[in-house]
Coordinates of all heavy atoms in Angstrom, one line a residue:
D477 N 10.4 -9.3 3.5 CA 10.4 -9.5 2.0 C 9.1 -10.3 1.6 O 8.8 -11.3 2.2 CB 11.7 -10.2 1.6 CG 11.8 -10.4 0.1 OD1 11.0 -11.1 -0.5 OD2 12.8 -9.9 -0.4
K478 N 8.5 -9.8 0.6 CA 7.2 -10.4 0.2 C 7.4 -11.8 -0.3 O 6.5 -12.6 -0.1 CB 6.6 -9.5 -0.9 CG 6.1 -8.2 -0.5 CD 4.8 -8.3 0.3 CE 4.2 -7.0 0.6 NZ 3.1 -7.1 1.5
K479 N 8.5 -12.1 -0.9 CA 8.7 -13.4 -1.4 C 8.7 -14.4 -0.3 O 8.1 -15.5 -0.4 CB 10.1 -13.5 -2.1 CG 10.4 -14.9 -2.7 CD 11.6 -14.9 -3.6 CE 12.9 -14.9 -2.9 NZ 14.0 -15.1 -3.8
F480 N 9.2 -14.1 0.9 CA 9.2 -15.0 2.0 C 7.9 -15.0 2.7 O 7.5 -16.0 3.4 CB 10.4 -14.7 2.9 CG 11.7 -14.9 2.2 CD1 12.5 -13.9 1.8 CD2 12.1 -16.3 1.9 CE1 13.7 -14.2 1.2 CE2 13.2 -16.5 1.2 CZ 14.1 -15.5 0.9
E481 N 7.1 -13.9 2.6 CA 5.7 -14.0 3.0 C 4.9 -15.0 2.2 O 4.1 -15.8 2.8 CB 5.0 -12.6 2.9 CG 5.4 -11.6 3.9 CD 4.7 -10.3 3.7 OE1 3.4 -10.3 3.5 OE2 5.3 -9.2 3.9
V482 N 5.2 -15.1 0.9 CA 4.5 -16.1 0.1 C 5.0 -17.5 0.5 O 4.1 -18.4 0.7 CB 4.8 -15.8 -1.4 CG1 4.4 -17.0 -2.3 CG2 4.1 -14.5 -1.9
L483 N 6.3 -17.7 0.7 CA 6.8 -19.0 1.1 C 6.2 -19.4 2.5 O 5.7 -20.5 2.6 CB 8.3 -18.9 1.3 CG 9.0 -20.2 1.7 CD1 8.8 -21.3 0.7 CD2 10.5 -19.9 1.9
N484 N 6.1 -18.5 3.4 CA 5.5 -18.8 4.7 C 4.1 -19.1 4.6 O 3.6 -20.1 5.3 CB 5.8 -17.6 5.7 CG 5.6 -18.1 7.1 OD1 6.3 -19.0 7.5 ND2 4.9 -17.3 7.9
C485 N 3.3 -18.4 3.8 CA 1.9 -18.7 3.6 C 1.7 -20.1 3.0 O 0.8 -20.9 3.5 CB 1.3 -17.6 2.7 SG -0.5 -17.8 2.4
I486 N 2.5 -20.5 2.0 CA 2.5 -21.8 1.5 C 2.7 -22.8 2.5 O 2.0 -23.9 2.7 CB 3.4 -21.9 0.3 CG1 2.9 -21.1 -0.9 CG2 3.6 -23.4 -0.2 CD1 3.9 -20.9 -2.0
A487 N 3.8 -22.6 3.4 CA 4.1 -23.5 4.4 C 3.0 -23.7 5.4 O 2.7 -24.8 5.9 CB 5.4 -23.1 5.1
E488 N 2.4 -22.6 5.8 CA 1.3 -22.6 6.8 C 0.1 -23.4 6.3 O -0.6 -24.0 7.2 CB 0.8 -21.2 7.1 CG 1.8 -20.4 8.0 CD 1.3 -19.0 8.2 OE1 0.3 -18.5 7.6 OE2 2.0 -18.2 8.9
H489 N -0.1 -23.5 5.1 CA -1.3 -24.2 4.5 C -0.9 -25.6 4.0 O -1.7 -26.3 3.4 CB -2.0 -23.4 3.4 CG -2.6 -22.2 4.0 ND1 -3.7 -22.2 4.7 CD2 -2.2 -20.9 3.9 CE1 -4.1 -21.0 5.1 NE2 -3.2 -20.2 4.6
S490 N 0.3 -26.0 4.2 CA 0.8 -27.3 3.7 C 0.4 -28.5 4.6 O 0.3 -28.3 5.8 CB 2.3 -27.3 3.5 OG 2.7 -26.5 2.4
V491 N 0.1 -29.6 3.9 CA -0.2 -30.8 4.7 C 0.8 -31.9 4.2 O 1.3 -31.8 3.1 CB -1.6 -31.3 4.4 CG1 -2.6 -30.3 5.0 CG2 -1.9 -31.5 3.0
K492 N 1.0 -32.9 5.1 CA 2.0 -33.9 4.7 C 1.2 -35.0 3.8 O 0.2 -35.5 4.2 CB 2.5 -34.6 6.0 CG 3.8 -35.2 5.7 CD 4.6 -35.4 7.0 CE 6.1 -35.2 6.7 NZ 6.9 -35.1 7.8
I493 N 1.8 -35.2 2.7 CA 1.3 -36.2 1.7 C 2.5 -37.0 1.2 O 3.4 -36.4 0.7 CB 0.5 -35.6 0.5 CG1 -0.7 -34.8 1.0 CG2 0.1 -36.6 -0.5 CD1 -1.4 -34.0 -0.1
D494 N 2.4 -38.3 1.5 CA 3.6 -39.2 1.0 C 4.9 -38.7 1.5 O 5.9 -38.7 0.8 CB 3.6 -39.4 -0.5 CG 2.3 -40.1 -1.0 OD1 1.7 -40.9 -0.2 OD2 1.9 -39.8 -2.1
G495 N 5.0 -38.1 2.7 CA 6.2 -37.6 3.3 C 6.7 -36.3 2.8 O 7.7 -35.8 3.2
E496 N 5.8 -35.6 2.0 CA 6.2 -34.2 1.5 C 5.2 -33.2 2.1 O 4.0 -33.6 2.3 CB 6.1 -34.2 0.0 CG 7.1 -35.1 -0.7 CD 7.0 -35.0 -2.2 OE1 5.9 -35.0 -2.7 OE2 8.0 -34.9 -2.9
L497 N 5.6 -32.0 2.3 CA 4.7 -30.9 2.6 C 4.1 -30.3 1.4 O 4.9 -29.7 0.6 CB 5.4 -29.9 3.5 CG 5.7 -30.2 4.9 CD1 6.6 -29.2 5.6 CD2 4.5 -30.5 5.7
V498 N 2.9 -30.5 1.2 CA 2.2 -30.0 -0.1 C 1.1 -29.0 0.3 O 0.3 -29.3 1.2 CB 1.5 -31.2 -0.8 CG1 0.8 -30.8 -2.1 CG2 2.6 -32.3 -1.1
C499 N 1.1 -27.9 -0.4 CA 0.1 -26.9 -0.2 C -1.1 -27.2 -1.2 O -0.9 -27.1 -2.4 CB 0.6 -25.5 -0.5 SG -0.6 -24.2 -0.2
P500 N -2.3 -27.5 -0.7 CA -3.4 -27.9 -1.6 C -4.2 -26.7 -2.1 O -5.1 -26.9 -2.9 CB -4.3 -28.8 -0.7 CG -4.0 -28.2 0.7 CD -2.6 -27.8 0.7
L501 N -3.8 -25.5 -1.7 CA -4.6 -24.3 -2.1 C -4.1 -23.8 -3.4 O -2.9 -23.8 -3.7 CB -4.5 -23.3 -1.0 CG -5.0 -23.7 0.4 CD1 -4.9 -22.5 1.4 CD2 -6.5 -24.2 0.3
S502 N -5.0 -23.1 -4.1 CA -4.7 -22.5 -5.4 C -4.0 -21.2 -5.2 O -4.0 -20.6 -4.2 CB -6.0 -22.3 -6.2 OG -6.7 -21.3 -5.7
Q503 N -3.3 -20.8 -6.3 CA -2.7 -19.4 -6.3 C -3.7 -18.3 -5.9 O -3.4 -17.4 -5.2 CB -2.1 -19.1 -7.6 CG -0.8 -19.9 -7.9 CD -0.2 -19.5 -9.3 OE1 -0.2 -18.3 -9.6 NE2 0.3 -20.5 -10.0
N504 N -4.9 -18.4 -6.5 CA -5.9 -17.4 -6.2 C -6.2 -17.3 -4.8 O -6.3 -16.2 -4.2 CB -7.2 -17.7 -7.0 CG -7.0 -17.4 -8.5 OD1 -6.2 -16.6 -8.9 ND2 -7.9 -18.0 -9.3
V505 N -6.4 -18.4 -4.1 CA -6.8 -18.4 -2.7 C -5.6 -17.9 -1.9 O -5.8 -17.0 -1.0 CB -7.1 -19.9 -2.2 CG1 -7.3 -19.9 -0.7 CG2 -8.4 -20.3 -2.9
L506 N -4.4 -18.3 -2.2 CA -3.2 -17.8 -1.4 C -3.0 -16.3 -1.6 O -2.7 -15.6 -0.7 CB -2.0 -18.6 -1.8 CG -2.0 -20.1 -1.4 CD1 -0.9 -20.9 -2.1 CD2 -1.9 -20.3 0.1
A507 N -3.1 -15.9 -2.9 CA -3.0 -14.5 -3.2 C -4.0 -13.6 -2.4 O -3.6 -12.6 -1.9 CB -3.1 -14.2 -4.7
K508 N -5.2 -14.1 -2.4 CA -6.3 -13.3 -1.7 C -5.9 -13.3 -0.2 O -6.1 -12.2 0.5 CB -7.6 -14.0 -1.9 CG -8.2 -13.7 -3.2 CD -9.6 -14.3 -3.4 CE -10.1 -14.1 -4.8 NZ -11.4 -14.8 -5.0
E509 N -5.4 -14.3 0.4 CA -5.1 -14.3 1.8 C -4.0 -13.3 2.1 O -4.0 -12.7 3.2 CB -4.6 -15.7 2.2 CG -4.3 -15.7 3.7 CD -4.1 -17.1 4.3 OE1 -4.9 -18.0 3.9 OE2 -3.2 -17.3 5.1
L510 N -3.1 -13.1 1.2 CA -2.0 -12.2 1.3 C -2.4 -10.8 0.8 O -1.5 -9.9 0.8 CB -0.8 -12.7 0.6 CG -0.1 -13.9 1.2 CD1 1.0 -14.5 0.3 CD2 0.4 -13.6 2.6
N511 N -3.6 -10.6 0.4 CA -4.1 -9.3 -0.2 C -3.1 -8.9 -1.3 O -2.7 -7.7 -1.4 CB -4.1 -8.2 0.9 CG -5.2 -8.5 1.9 OD1 -6.3 -8.9 1.6 ND2 -4.8 -8.3 3.2
M512 N -2.9 -9.8 -2.2 CA -1.9 -9.6 -3.3 C -2.6 -10.0 -4.6 O -3.4 -10.9 -4.7 CB -0.7 -10.6 -3.0 CG 0.5 -10.4 -3.9 SD 1.8 -11.5 -3.4 CE 2.3 -10.9 -1.8
A513 N -2.3 -9.2 -5.7 CA -2.8 -9.6 -7.0 C -2.3 -10.9 -7.4 O -1.1 -11.3 -7.1 CB -2.4 -8.5 -8.0
R514 N -3.1 -11.7 -8.1 CA -2.6 -13.1 -8.5 C -1.4 -13.0 -9.3 O -0.5 -13.9 -9.2 CB -3.7 -13.8 -9.2 CG -3.4 -15.3 -9.2 CD -4.3 -16.1 -10.2 NE -4.0 -15.9 -11.6 CZ -2.9 -16.3 -12.2 NH1 -1.9 -16.9 -11.6 NH2 -2.7 -16.0 -13.5
M515 N -1.3 -12.1 -10.2 CA -0.1 -12.0 -11.1 C 1.2 -11.7 -10.2 O 2.3 -12.2 -10.5 CB -0.3 -10.9 -12.2 CG -1.3 -11.3 -13.2 SD -0.9 -12.9 -14.0 CE 0.6 -12.4 -14.9
T516 N 1.0 -10.8 -9.2 CA 2.2 -10.5 -8.3 C 2.5 -11.8 -7.6 O 3.7 -12.1 -7.5 CB 1.8 -9.4 -7.4 OG1 1.4 -8.2 -8.1 CG2 2.9 -9.0 -6.4
F517 N 1.5 -12.5 -7.0 CA 1.8 -13.7 -6.3 C 2.5 -14.7 -7.2 O 3.4 -15.4 -6.8 CB 0.4 -14.3 -5.8 CG 0.6 -15.6 -5.0 CD1 0.8 -15.5 -3.7 CD2 0.6 -16.8 -5.7 CE1 1.0 -16.7 -2.9 CE2 0.8 -18.0 -5.0 CZ 1.0 -17.9 -3.6
S518 N 2.1 -14.8 -8.5 CA 2.7 -15.7 -9.4 C 4.1 -15.4 -9.7 O 5.0 -16.3 -9.8 CB 1.9 -15.7 -10.7 OG 2.4 -16.6 -11.7
R519 N 4.5 -14.1 -9.7 CA 5.9 -13.8 -9.9 C 6.7 -14.2 -8.7 O 7.8 -14.8 -8.9 CB 6.0 -12.2 -10.1 CG 5.7 -11.8 -11.5 CD 6.2 -10.4 -11.8 NE 5.5 -9.4 -10.9 CZ 4.4 -8.8 -11.2 NH1 3.7 -9.1 -12.3 NH2 3.8 -7.9 -10.4
Y520 N 6.2 -14.0 -7.5 CA 6.9 -14.4 -6.3 C 7.0 -16.0 -6.3 O 8.1 -16.5 -5.9 CB 6.2 -14.0 -5.0 CG 6.4 -12.5 -4.8 CD1 5.3 -11.7 -4.6 CD2 7.7 -11.9 -4.6 CE1 5.5 -10.3 -4.4 CE2 7.9 -10.6 -4.4 CZ 6.7 -9.8 -4.3 OH 6.9 -8.4 -4.1
L521 N 6.0 -16.6 -6.7 CA 5.9 -18.1 -6.7 C 7.0 -18.6 -7.6 O 7.8 -19.5 -7.3 CB 4.6 -18.6 -7.2 CG 4.3 -20.0 -7.1 CD1 4.3 -20.5 -5.6 CD2 3.0 -20.4 -7.8
H522 N 7.1 -18.1 -8.8 CA 8.1 -18.5 -9.8 C 9.5 -18.2 -9.3 O 10.5 -19.0 -9.5 CB 7.9 -17.9 -11.2 CG 6.7 -18.5 -11.8 ND1 6.8 -19.8 -12.4 CD2 5.4 -18.1 -12.0 CE1 5.6 -20.1 -12.9 NE2 4.7 -19.1 -12.6
S523 N 9.7 -17.1 -8.6 CA 11.0 -16.8 -8.0 C 11.4 -17.8 -6.9 O 12.5 -18.3 -6.9 CB 11.0 -15.4 -7.4 OG 12.2 -15.1 -6.7
L524 N 10.4 -18.3 -6.1 CA 10.6 -19.3 -5.1 C 11.0 -20.6 -5.8 O 11.9 -21.3 -5.3 CB 9.4 -19.4 -4.2 CG 9.1 -18.3 -3.3 CD1 7.7 -18.4 -2.7 CD2 10.2 -18.2 -2.2
I525 N 10.3 -20.9 -6.9 CA 10.7 -22.2 -7.6 C 12.1 -22.1 -8.2 O 12.9 -23.0 -8.0 CB 9.6 -22.4 -8.7 CG1 8.3 -22.8 -8.2 CG2 10.1 -23.5 -9.7 CD1 7.1 -22.8 -9.2
N526 N 12.4 -21.0 -8.8 CA 13.7 -20.8 -9.4 C 14.8 -20.8 -8.4 O 16.0 -21.1 -8.7 CB 13.8 -19.5 -10.2 CG 12.9 -19.7 -11.5 OD1 12.7 -20.8 -12.0 ND2 12.5 -18.5 -12.0
S527 N 14.5 -20.4 -7.1 CA 15.5 -20.3 -6.0 C 15.6 -21.6 -5.3 O 16.4 -21.8 -4.4 CB 15.1 -19.2 -5.0 OG 15.1 -18.0 -5.7
G528 N 14.7 -22.6 -5.6 CA 14.8 -23.9 -5.0 C 14.1 -24.1 -3.7 O 14.3 -25.0 -3.0
F529 N 13.2 -23.1 -3.3 CA 12.5 -23.2 -2.1 C 11.2 -24.1 -2.2 O 10.8 -24.7 -1.2 CB 12.1 -21.8 -1.6 CG 13.3 -20.9 -1.3 CD1 13.5 -19.8 -2.0 CD2 14.1 -21.3 -0.2 CE1 14.6 -19.0 -1.7 CE2 15.2 -20.5 0.1 CZ 15.4 -19.3 -0.7
I530 N 10.6 -24.1 -3.3 CA 9.4 -24.9 -3.6 C 9.6 -25.6 -5.0 O 10.4 -25.1 -5.8 CB 8.1 -24.1 -3.5 CG1 8.0 -23.0 -4.5 CG2 7.9 -23.6 -2.1 CD1 6.7 -22.3 -4.6
Q531 N 8.7 -26.6 -5.2 CA 8.7 -27.2 -6.5 C 7.3 -27.6 -6.8 O 6.5 -27.9 -5.9 CB 9.7 -28.4 -6.6 CG 9.4 -29.5 -5.6 CD 10.4 -30.6 -5.7 OE1 11.5 -30.4 -6.1 NE2 10.1 -31.8 -5.2
P532 N 6.9 -27.6 -8.1 CA 5.6 -28.1 -8.5 C 5.4 -29.6 -8.1 O 6.4 -30.3 -8.1 CB 5.6 -28.0 -10.0 CG 6.6 -27.0 -10.3 CD 7.7 -27.2 -9.3
R533 N 4.2 -29.9 -7.7 CA 4.0 -31.3 -7.2 C 3.4 -32.1 -8.4 O 2.3 -32.0 -8.8 CB 3.0 -31.3 -6.1 CG 2.4 -32.6 -5.7 CD 2.8 -33.1 -4.4 NE 2.0 -34.2 -4.0 CZ 2.5 -35.4 -3.7 NH1 3.8 -35.6 -3.7 NH2 1.7 -36.4 -3.3
G534 N 4.2 -33.0 -8.9 CA 3.8 -34.0 -9.9 C 3.0 -33.3 -11.1 O 3.4 -32.3 -11.6
N535 N 1.9 -33.9 -11.4 CA 1.1 -33.4 -12.5 C 0.0 -32.5 -12.0 O -0.9 -32.1 -12.8 CB 0.4 -34.6 -13.2 CG 1.5 -35.5 -13.9 OD1 2.5 -35.0 -14.4 ND2 1.2 -36.7 -14.1
L536 N 0.0 -32.2 -10.7 CA -1.1 -31.3 -10.2 C -0.7 -29.9 -10.4 O 0.3 -29.4 -10.0 CB -1.2 -31.6 -8.7 CG -1.7 -33.0 -8.3 CD1 -1.7 -33.1 -6.8 CD2 -3.0 -33.3 -8.9
I537 N -1.6 -29.2 -11.2 CA -1.4 -27.8 -11.5 C -1.7 -27.0 -10.2 O -2.7 -27.3 -9.5 CB -2.3 -27.3 -12.6 CG1 -1.9 -28.1 -13.9 CG2 -2.2 -25.8 -12.8 CD1 -2.8 -27.9 -15.1
N538 N -1.0 -26.0 -9.9 CA -1.2 -25.1 -8.7 C -1.0 -25.8 -7.4 O -1.6 -25.4 -6.4 CB -2.6 -24.5 -8.8 CG -2.6 -23.4 -9.8 OD1 -1.7 -22.8 -10.2 ND2 -3.8 -23.3 -10.4
R539 N -0.2 -26.9 -7.4 CA 0.1 -27.6 -6.1 C 1.6 -27.6 -6.0 O 2.3 -28.0 -6.9 CB -0.5 -29.0 -6.1 CG -2.0 -29.1 -6.2 CD -2.7 -28.4 -5.1 NE -4.2 -28.5 -5.3 CZ -4.9 -27.6 -5.8 NH1 -4.4 -26.4 -6.3 NH2 -6.2 -27.7 -5.9
Y540 N 2.1 -27.2 -4.8 CA 3.5 -27.0 -4.6 C 4.0 -27.7 -3.4 O 3.3 -27.8 -2.4 CB 3.8 -25.5 -4.6 CG 3.4 -24.9 -5.9 CD1 2.2 -24.2 -5.9 CD2 4.2 -24.9 -7.0 CE1 1.7 -23.7 -7.1 CE2 3.7 -24.4 -8.2 CZ 2.5 -23.7 -8.2 OH 2.1 -23.2 -9.4
T541 N 5.2 -28.2 -3.5 CA 5.9 -28.9 -2.4 C 7.0 -28.1 -1.9 O 7.8 -27.5 -2.7 CB 6.4 -30.3 -2.8 OG1 5.3 -31.0 -3.4 CG2 7.1 -31.0 -1.7
L542 N 7.2 -27.9 -0.6 CA 8.3 -27.3 0.0 C 9.5 -28.2 -0.1 O 9.4 -29.4 0.2 CB 8.1 -26.9 1.5 CG 7.4 -25.6 1.8 CD1 5.9 -25.7 1.5 CD2 7.7 -25.1 3.1
T543 N 10.6 -27.7 -0.6 CA 11.9 -28.4 -0.6 C 12.5 -28.4 0.8 O 12.1 -27.6 1.7 CB 12.8 -27.8 -1.6 OG1 13.2 -26.5 -1.2 CG2 12.2 -27.8 -3.0
E544 N 13.6 -29.2 0.9 CA 14.3 -29.1 2.2 C 14.8 -27.7 2.5 O 14.7 -27.2 3.6 CB 15.5 -30.1 2.2 CG 15.0 -31.6 2.3 CD 16.2 -32.5 2.4 OE1 17.3 -32.1 2.9 OE2 16.1 -33.6 1.9
L545 N 15.3 -27.0 1.5 CA 15.8 -25.7 1.6 C 14.6 -24.8 2.1 O 14.8 -23.9 3.0 CB 16.4 -25.1 0.3 CG 16.9 -23.7 0.3 CD1 17.9 -23.5 1.4 CD2 17.4 -23.3 -1.0
G546 N 13.5 -24.9 1.4 CA 12.3 -24.1 1.8 C 11.9 -24.3 3.2 O 11.5 -23.4 3.9
I547 N 11.9 -25.6 3.7 CA 11.5 -25.9 5.0 C 12.5 -25.2 6.0 O 12.1 -24.7 7.0 CB 11.4 -27.4 5.2 CG1 10.3 -28.0 4.4 CG2 11.3 -27.8 6.7 CD1 10.3 -29.5 4.3
K548 N 13.8 -25.3 5.7 CA 14.8 -24.7 6.6 C 14.6 -23.2 6.7 O 14.7 -22.6 7.8 CB 16.2 -25.0 6.1 CG 16.6 -26.4 6.3 CD 18.0 -26.6 5.7 CE 18.4 -28.1 5.8 NZ 19.7 -28.3 5.2
V549 N 14.3 -22.5 5.5 CA 14.1 -21.1 5.5 C 12.8 -20.7 6.3 O 12.9 -19.8 7.1 CB 14.0 -20.6 4.1 CG1 13.5 -19.1 4.1 CG2 15.3 -20.7 3.4
V550 N 11.8 -21.5 6.2 CA 10.5 -21.2 6.9 C 10.8 -21.3 8.4 O 10.3 -20.5 9.2 CB 9.4 -22.1 6.5 CG1 8.2 -22.1 7.4 CG2 8.9 -21.7 5.1
K551 N 11.5 -22.4 8.8 CA 11.8 -22.5 10.3 C 12.6 -21.4 10.8 O 12.4 -20.9 11.9 CB 12.5 -23.9 10.5 CG 11.7 -25.1 10.4 CD 12.4 -26.4 10.6 CE 11.5 -27.6 10.5 NZ 12.2 -28.8 10.7
T552 N 13.6 -20.9 10.0 CA 14.4 -19.8 10.4 C 13.6 -18.5 10.5 O 13.7 -17.8 11.5 CB 15.6 -19.6 9.4 OG1 16.4 -20.7 9.3 CG2 16.4 -18.4 9.8
I553 N 12.7 -18.3 9.5 CA 11.9 -17.1 9.5 C 11.0 -17.1 10.8 O 10.8 -16.0 11.4 CB 11.0 -17.0 8.3 CG1 11.8 -16.7 7.0 CG2 9.9 -16.0 8.4 CD1 11.0 -16.9 5.7
N554 N 10.4 -18.2 11.1 CA 9.5 -18.3 12.2 C 10.2 -18.2 13.6 O 9.5 -18.0 14.6 CB 8.6 -19.5 12.1 CG 7.6 -19.3 10.9 OD1 7.1 -18.2 10.7 ND2 7.4 -20.4 10.2
R555 N 11.5 -18.4 13.6 CA 12.2 -18.3 14.9 C 12.5 -16.8 15.2 O 12.8 -16.5 16.3 CB 13.6 -19.0 14.8 CG 13.4 -20.5 15.1 CD 14.8 -21.1 15.3 NE 14.8 -22.4 14.6 CZ 15.7 -22.8 13.8 NH1 16.8 -22.1 13.6 NH2 15.6 -24.0 13.2
L556 N 12.6 -16.0 14.2 CA 13.0 -14.6 14.3 C 11.9 -13.8 15.1 O 10.8 -14.0 15.1 CB 13.3 -13.9 13.0 CG 14.4 -14.6 12.2 CD1 14.5 -13.9 10.8 CD2 15.7 -14.5 13.0

């Protein structure tokens, strides 16, 4: 599923900041890495937010934190 490809890509580029996994890359960079249109990427991103897998990081635009649920799902995906 493409939504989980987006989640996994965010996780792969995340770094630990103040105990949270934060992806410092912009939507444009991540979308290009996945060979996806930015608008398509944005739709998947909002779906991940609405599903509770990621959340926006504070006041930083285009920076996202993996939630505990998101981390569990990424670990499960990568075990398969």
Side-chain angles (χ1 to χ4, degrees):
D477 183 296
K478 292 284 186 188
K479 179 167 84 170
F480 294 109
E481 284 182 41
V482 170
L483 179 63
N484 200 50
C485 184
I486 291 169
E488 286 175 356
H489 293 289
S490 290
V491 294
K492 205 159 215 169
I493 299 175
D494 297 330
E496 296 179 317
L497 285 175
V498 178
C499 183
L501 302 180
S502 70
Q503 288 184 37
N504 287 338
V505 171
L506 294 167
K508 284 179 185 176
E509 181 168 318
L510 293 171
N511 296 316
M512 191 179 288
R514 197 193 70 72
M515 290 303 292
T516 302
F517 182 88
S518 183
R519 280 195 296 273
Y520 288 122
L521 187 68
H522 287 283
S523 177
L524 290 166
I525 292 169
N526 291 335
S527 299
F529 296 115
I530 61 173
Q531 61 186 18
R533 167 114 168 121
N535 294 330
L536 299 175
I537 297 172
N538 289 328
R539 301 297 181 263
Y540 301 93
T541 301
L542 273 77
T543 63
E544 287 185 32
L545 178 60
I547 292 167
K548 287 179 187 177
V549 169
V550 167
K551 286 180 179 178
T552 300
I553 289 169
N554 290 323
R555 276 192 224 132
L556 301 177

